[in-house]
Amino acid sequence: MMLSMMIFDPKQPGNDIDVYLSPLIEDLRKLWDEGVLVFDGFCKETFEMRAMLFCTINDFPAYENLNGYSVKGHDACPICEEDTSYIQLKHGRKIVYTRHRHFLQPHHPYRRLKKAFNES
């Protein structure tokens, strides 16, 4: 497993994230296309290793920058997408996402708490 990078800066790079990621992308391309010679200490021999990036773990702002998916507004849920259930608060512009009880197990105790979940 590899921790590629963490950007410690009060201002996120936004659309300029490619400047930070370009060295990683170059290395990953080389590992996939050409491979690199690696010494196996157990077998005492060299072999050509190829590798790929399988998955990433991101917070929502990074998800938006890396994947180009908006995590704000009416369709912010990456699972529900256009079926995202939301309400806009009466005394402000804040959007609140609702109806997440349907992701719970069928007999979960929160399923009976309709009033706590806007009766949805």
Side-chain angles (χ1 to χ4, degrees), residues 58-90:
N58 310 306
D59 60 1
F60 263 31
Y63 185 69
E64 182 173 20
N65 287 340
L66 294 172
N67 298 322
Y69 185 89
S70 176
V71 293
K72 301 174 186 117
H74 298 174
D75 300 334
C77 178
I79 297 166
C80 303
E81 294 181 335
E82 64 273 350
D83 296 328
T84 300
S85 177
Y86 65 91
I87 57 172
Q88 192 157 354
L89 298 180
K90 292 178 185 175

Side-chain angles (χ1 to χ4, degrees), residues 6-98:
M6 294 182 74
I7 301 169
F8 293 103
D9 195 328
K11 183 178 175 255
Q12 63 174 330
N15 291 337
D16 296 329
I17 191 77
D18 56 340
V19 173
Y20 290 94
L21 293 179
S22 62
L24 174 65
I25 292 169
E26 289 171 20
D27 289 346
L28 287 170
R29 280 197 177 127
K30 182 175 182 178
L31 281 168
W32 180 254
D33 294 337
E34 303 167 23
V36 293
L37 288 176
V38 177
F39 181 74
D40 182 350
F42 183 75
C43 296
K44 308 281 191 249
E45 60 186 34
T46 303
F47 69 96
E48 184 178 288
M49 179 181 74
R50 292 178 182 257
M52 64 181 246
L53 179 65
F54 179 70
C55 67
T56 62
I57 300 172
N58 310 306
D59 60 1
F60 263 31
Y63 185 69
E64 182 173 20
N65 287 340
L66 294 172
N67 298 322
Y69 185 89
S70 176
V71 293
K72 301 174 186 117
H74 298 174
D75 300 334
C77 178
I79 297 166
C80 303
E81 294 181 335
E82 64 273 350
D83 296 328
T84 300
S85 177
Y86 65 91
I87 57 172
Q88 192 157 354
L89 298 180
K90 292 178 185 175
H91 302 292
R93 295 183 179 171
K94 187 167 184 97
I95 296 172
V96 180
Y97 304 101
T98 59

